Amino acid sequence: MLQSRWAAKVRARILETLFPSHCVGCAERGSWLCAACLSGLRQCGSGFCPGCLRPSTDGRPCLTCVAACPLTQLFAACPYRQNPLARAVESLKYTGVQALADPLAELLIAHLEHFRYAGAWSKAFDAVIPVPLHRRRLLARGYQQAALLAVPVAQHFSWPLREDVLFRVRATRPQVGLPQRTRLKNVRGAFSVSGMAPRRVLLVDDVVTTASTMRACAQALRDAGSHEVVALALAHG
Ligand SMILES: [Zn+2]
Ligand SMILES: [Zn+2]
């Protein structure tokens, strides 16, 4: 992972020389997402039930989902279908523009701070864990977009970033375009935990649609001893 981060940094530097940064929203030079475009993004005003994804004031499961949901809470910072967010997430995911991760992570941090202020959560997390890619996909891509977002969050709150706990042991088809039922089947049993799972986990991903992946991760963590798994995504939709 260290080596791939280093390789990713070198690649980012080469890219910056060849293609100087310009905002994915307004094309202004100097950054990949300028402050004006970042602050103009619509944000989610509530959390979501981690089972059925209906809005939930404090991100906890609704009465229908509570018994069977391995996730304790679910938060997503912004609705996905708005520009330039969708474009920024695509760029982060597919073109390796990693300088985008820092401004996008600011949205995650602000969102968590907002809900801490509102009393939706209070205790510190024992681990910040990005939703892992399968090793093969990580090797092909050279970086993991969820980890790029998780690093600044962990640093901001001084919680340990743990990439040695949760692993994707089975390569899965991308969830995009799959119907909900197939998504669940696609990721079931795809994750495993190495050693003792931390007690309170903050699970970070870029986009949450049905939360099947987040729930599969949470199930693996709970089976390995986690007491609480809170999911935080950049975008919902
Ligand atoms: Zn802009
Ligand atoms: Zn629900």
Side-chain angles (χ1 to χ4, degrees), residues 60-76:
R60 291 187 186 276
C62 68
L63 287 175
T64 315
C65 300
V66 70
C69 190
L71 281 167
T72 316
Q73 284 170 292
L74 169 62
F75 299 104

Side-chain angles (χ1 to χ4, degrees), residues 49 51-54 61-62 64-65:
C49 165
C52 64
L53 279 286
R54 290 200 184 90
C62 68
T64 315
C65 300

Side-chain angles (χ1 to χ4, degrees), residues 47-55 65 74 208-212 215 236:
F48 297 89
C49 165
C52 64
L53 279 286
R54 290 200 184 90
C65 300
L74 169 62
V208 62
T209 307
T210 63
S212 310
R215 282 198 301 275
H236 164 252

Side-chain angles (χ1 to χ4, degrees), residues 84-201:
L85 184 68
R87 216 175 301 152
V89 171
E90 293 275 294
S91 304
L92 182 68
K93 198 167 195 157
Y94 298 112
T95 63
V97 176
Q98 297 181 45
L100 268 168
D102 286 337
L104 292 175
E106 276 179 36
L107 294 169
L108 289 177
I109 291 165
H111 200 69
L112 267 189
E113 290 281 20
H114 169 83
F115 280 96
R116 173 153 73 174
Y117 187 73
W121 64 272
S122 56
K123 287 182 232 145
F125 290 94
D126 302 312
V128 179
I129 299 181
V131 168
L133 287 177
H134 190 262
R135 197 168 44 88
R136 267 206 308 274
R137 197 170 295 167
L138 180 61
L139 280 174
R141 196 176 281 178
Y143 62 91
Q144 184 180 350
Q145 72 277 8
L148 295 178
L149 294 170
V151 170
V153 173
Q155 278 171 349
H156 175 88
F157 290 99
S158 303
W159 299 325
L161 179 82
R162 295 285 304 273
E163 292 182 85
D164 58 343
V165 173
L166 185 66
F167 297 92
R168 199 182 284 247
V169 286
R170 186 161 59 74
T172 52
R173 284 191 282 160
Q175 296 280 74
V176 176
L178 294 182
Q180 180 158 1
R181 193 170 287 217
T182 321
R183 284 178 182 232
L184 203 63
K185 223 191 259 173
N186 188 31
V187 291
R188 189 172 288 153
F191 298 94
S192 94
V193 170
S194 155
M196 268 285 285
R199 215 178 146 83
R200 282 181 49 79
V201 173

